[in-house]
Amino acid sequence: MEIVPERNTSVSQLIVQWAYTGIRFALSNGTMIGFLTFLELLIVLRRPDIVDKDNRVRIVSVEEMLGSYDFVIIGGGSAGAVLANRLSENSNWTILLLEGGNDEGVISDVPSLASYLQHTEVDWGFKIENSSTYCKGMVNNQCNWPRGKALGGSSVINYLIYVRGNRKDYDQWEELGNSGWGYDDVLPHFKKAENVSIPDLRASPYHGTTGYLTVERARYKHPIASYFLNASFEMGYSEVDVNGETQTGFMYPQATVRNGRRCSSAKAYLRSTAGRENLHVRTGALVTKILVNETTKTAYGVEFVRENMKYTVRAKKEVILSAGTIQSPQLLMLSGIGPKEHLEEVGIRVILDSPGVGKNLQDHVGIGGLTYLIDPPHDSSTSTLSEVEQFLAERNGSLYDISFGEVIGFTNSRYQ
Ligand SMILES: Cc1cc2nc3c(=O)[nH]c(=O)nc-3n(C[C@H](O)[C@H](O)[C@H](O)COP(=O)(O)OP(=O)(O)OC[C@H]3O[C@@H](n4cnc5c(N)ncnc54)[C@H](O)[C@@H]3O)c2cc1C
Ligand SMILES: *[C@@H]1O[C@H](CO)[C@@H](O)[C@H](O)[C@H]1NC(C)=O
Ligand SMILES: *[C@@H]1O[C@H](CO)[C@@H](O)[C@H](O)[C@H]1NC(C)=O
Ligand SMILES: *[C@@H]1O[C@H](CO)[C@@H](O)[C@H](O)[C@H]1NC(C)=O
Ligand SMILES: *[C@@H]1O[C@H](CO)[C@@H](O)[C@H](O)[C@H]1NC(C)=O
Ligand SMILES: *[C@@H]1O[C@H](CO)[C@@H](O)[C@H](O)[C@H]1NC(C)=O
Ligand SMILES: *[C@@H]1O[C@H](CO)[C@@H](O)[C@H](O)[C@H]1NC(C)=O
């Protein structure tokens, strides 16, 4: 690497020059880690809007923390951030949000880099148990199971596509006895949450314009996207709003982004509450146990670990568990709530025998690696320095691509 100092250059200009040299080197060698490291540095130096210094979530020190709060929320992810915001609207209540990870960084703001966040410090990096029936193409028959570890949780590492799900699924949940979960019940909440900026949708009865979560089209679209969408028309589908009246059809994605960049639930719901004194947020706090009164079977606090120190905090009203699909049931089990035999087998004192805890995991199928040869509309196989420069200086270009879903659609998988 070479650094050629000019006369009168400041230290920060030198660092910028050095970072450019680094990123040029990383691009020419194809070293992704180097690329991300230097890009991060350049973002810090050149994109104050991403650094967002004035609005970042204020973290309370352990010394500042109270001994008890009205509500203690475990996990500051997609759900936890919303709960912390909404509960702290009532200034009579005190709320503590405990998050195992740290604040989100700057790289996660860059839409096209979403898949590079896995196996970094913002991913718990779980692997599933190996099996003889699935993940057979993987080393030791084990798939990765990414889960976000940061304020914002998995909304910090997800692929940004805004899809609410099918009306009939909600209605079926309601039919199964879950009152309040029918589509007509949840729609007002979706609308309350959303601030859609897509012009055609702002007046739609299915969308909201006053919520914290911004929903936009991608700022950059790969040229191949329109070929793909047009191909769906040739197959007889129409362009639809998959979050609207009918889901069957195709569209360019609606994305949980703001000014083209990731809008995690932490950005949406926590940065906006920076001024609320009744909300304390503590990161790097791994909750290890929910404290449950064995007589009343009521949760009255939590234990958490931070930098090898164990702390206890009490909840006057409620402990809210929003640690995600994997860790919420795990924490219940660690706290003595779960299938009795299993808890006994691993030496956990049973407070409540609840056989369903940890069962009935459901997820969507994901298929990657289907590769096609095409005549490219233009050559965009790798990031070039000019694309980086476009991102840094002009705030547009291919780094704004929602690259995991240029076009999305729903089709009938069953003949009627
Ligand atoms: C790679 C990937 C891509 C995805 N793409 C999309 C997409 O395009 N569109 C879409 O709608 N959805 C997508 N999803 C799914 C979506 O992001 C998740 O469904 C959603 O974020 C889950 O929210 P949650 O609040 O349940 O959990 P999370 O957001 O995961 O929050 C759980 C939080 O709890 C914290 N935590 C866990 N255990 C503890 C503990 N013991 N103590 C303290 N804190 C703890 C975690 O660090 C985390 O912050 C994707 C998910 C992944 C992983
Ligand atoms: C807060 O408490 C005061 C005094 O008890 C009460 O008058 C007020 O309505 C409460 N505010 C909310 C938002 O509940
Ligand atoms: C799971 O992994 C273990 C350890 O590598 C191995 O002994 C076992 O055979 C594997 N089981 C299956 C079903 O692949
Ligand atoms: C919604 O987003 C737009 C930008 O698309 C912004 O100008 C407006 O202030 C936002 N509305 C609210 C209520 O936050
Ligand atoms: C896709 O269809 C639109 C509308 O008919 C048209 O404007 C566009 O050029 C088409 N794109 C391609 C790549 O054919
Ligand atoms: C559990 O609840 C009972 C009944 O309300 C109470 O007497 C006891 O002190 C509680 N125990 C703890 C550890 O809070
Ligand atoms: C990117 O932004 C610059 C400056 O605003 C503008 O001149 C240029 O046309 C934009 N390019 C694209 C591809 O939108």
Side-chain angles (χ1 to χ4, degrees):
M1 289 191 210
E2 50 163 352
I3 301 171
V4 186
E6 289 162 24
R7 275 173 62 181
N8 300 327
T9 37
S10 68
V11 173
S12 71
Q13 280 171 307
L14 271 180
I15 298 175
V16 170
Q17 283 178 21
W18 176 71
Y20 271 107
T21 309
I23 212 159
R24 211 176 288 129
F25 183 75
L27 282 169
S28 63
N29 278 282
T31 47
M32 198 61 199
I33 292 174
F35 175 75
L36 294 176
T37 308
F38 287 110
L39 182 63
E40 184 171 3
L41 185 57
L42 286 167
I43 290 173
V44 168
L45 294 165
R46 299 200 48 201
R47 291 290 305 263
D49 58 323
I50 298 181
V51 175
D52 199 21
K53 194 161 146 277
D54 296 335
N55 298 307
R56 288 275 168 167
V57 183
R58 198 182 80 82
I59 307 300
V60 292
S61 67
V62 175
E63 293 72 38
E64 282 174 283
M65 279 176 54
L66 311 174
S68 68
Y69 292 82
D70 290 311
F71 296 89
V72 176
I73 303 170
I74 306 168
S78 293
V82 178
L83 288 159
N85 177 317
R86 294 302 188 189
L87 286 168
S88 61
E89 282 175 356
N90 184 337
S91 58
N92 290 350
W93 289 339
T94 54
I95 290 100
L96 174 66
L97 177 63
L98 292 171
E99 165 55 41
N102 293 313
D103 192 13
E104 53 193 330
V106 296
I107 288 289
S108 54
D109 260 46
V110 186
S112 70
L113 298 178
S115 55
Y116 294 100
L117 300 166
Q118 292 175 27
H119 306 292
T120 71
E121 73 282 357
V122 290
D123 176 14
W124 285 91
F126 296 131
K127 282 194 188 297
I128 64 165
E129 294 288 330
N130 64 351
S131 158
S132 55
T133 53
Y134 49 76
C135 297
K136 293 176 77 173
M138 305 294 160
V139 174
N140 200 35
N141 295 1
Q142 282 181 296
C143 285
N144 292 317
W145 193 290
R147 292 274 91 197
K149 182 183 184 183
L151 281 182
S154 297
S155 75
V156 171
I157 65 167
N158 74 15
Y159 293 141
L160 301 162
I161 295 168
Y162 183 67
V163 175
R164 295 172 182 171
N166 193 288
R167 167 192 287 273
K168 287 181 183 158
D169 285 326
Y170 292 96
D171 290 343
Q172 200 202 349
W173 288 347
E174 187 180 40
E175 280 161 26
L176 292 172
N178 304 294
S179 63
W181 283 95
Y183 186 75
D184 292 337
D185 300 307
V186 297
L187 181 59
H189 298 285
F190 279 126
K191 291 173 70 174
K192 181 180 179 183
E194 184 186 20
N195 179 3
V196 70
S197 72
I198 301 163
D200 304 350
L201 300 180
R202 283 184 67 85
S204 159
Y206 292 95
H207 290 272
T209 54
T210 57
Y212 288 105
L213 183 66
T214 46
V215 174
E216 306 174 353
R217 294 268 191 239
R219 186 170 280 196
Y220 175 90
K221 199 162 69 210
H222 193 283
I224 198 159
S226 77
Y227 288 71
F228 201 82
L229 188 64
N230 288 7
S232 80
F233 302 152
E234 284 175 22
M235 290 172 67
Y237 291 97
S238 320
E239 190 172 358
V240 295
D241 168 11
V242 302
N243 296 313
E245 183 66 28
T246 17
Q247 199 180 31
T248 307
F250 286 75
M251 68 171 198
Y252 295 120
Q254 298 164 21
T256 48
V257 297
R258 180 179 295 172
N259 300 320
R261 296 177 280 109
R262 178 184 299 275
C263 184
S264 70
S265 71
K267 187 188 273 186
Y269 284 91
L270 294 179
R271 292 192 201 180
S272 50
T273 56
R276 290 187 195 162
E277 290 183 359
N278 60 330
L279 172 62
H280 281 182
V281 178
R282 181 64 253 178
T283 48
L286 181 71
V287 177
T288 47
K289 196 176 189 180
I290 302 165
L291 302 170
V292 182
N293 184 317
E294 298 195 25
T295 317
T296 60
K297 310 272 189 222
T298 308
Y300 64 88
V302 306
E303 255 174 33
F304 70 93
V305 172
R306 174 171 164 72
E307 290 174 348
N308 295 322
M309 293 275 288
K310 191 187 260 188
Y311 301 87
T312 298
V313 65
R314 290 192 166 241
K316 284 179 269 191
K317 293 193 195 315
E318 289 180 25
V319 171
I320 297 174
L321 180 53
S322 50
T325 317
I326 303 295
Q327 285 144 300
S328 285
Q330 181 209 14
L331 201 50
L332 283 175
M333 288 191 252
L334 287 173
S335 311
I337 302 166
K340 186 163 174 286
E341 303 80 67
H342 179 54
L343 298 188
E344 281 170 353
E345 185 185 294
V346 293
I348 294 172
R349 190 182 151 80
V350 179
I351 291 181
L352 187 71
D353 178 17
S354 187
V357 174
K359 295 271 168 26
N360 198 27
L361 176 71
Q362 299 187 19
D363 197 4
H364 58 70
V365 173
I367 298 173
L370 293 178
T371 306
Y372 303 89
L373 288 175
I374 52 154
D375 295 326
H378 80 165
D379 183 25
S380 63
S381 46
T382 51
S383 294
T384 63
L385 197 61
S386 70
E387 287 170 315
V388 171
E389 187 51 25
Q390 218 182 334
F391 177 79
L392 293 170
E394 298 178 359
R395 304 188 176 187
N396 61 24
S398 66
L399 291 180
Y400 282 93
D401 195 12
I402 310 287
S403 46
F404 218 79
E406 295 282 354
V407 171
I408 70 164
F410 289 84
T411 68
N412 266 329
S413 56
R414 205 183 281 174
Y415 290 106
Q416 300 294 306

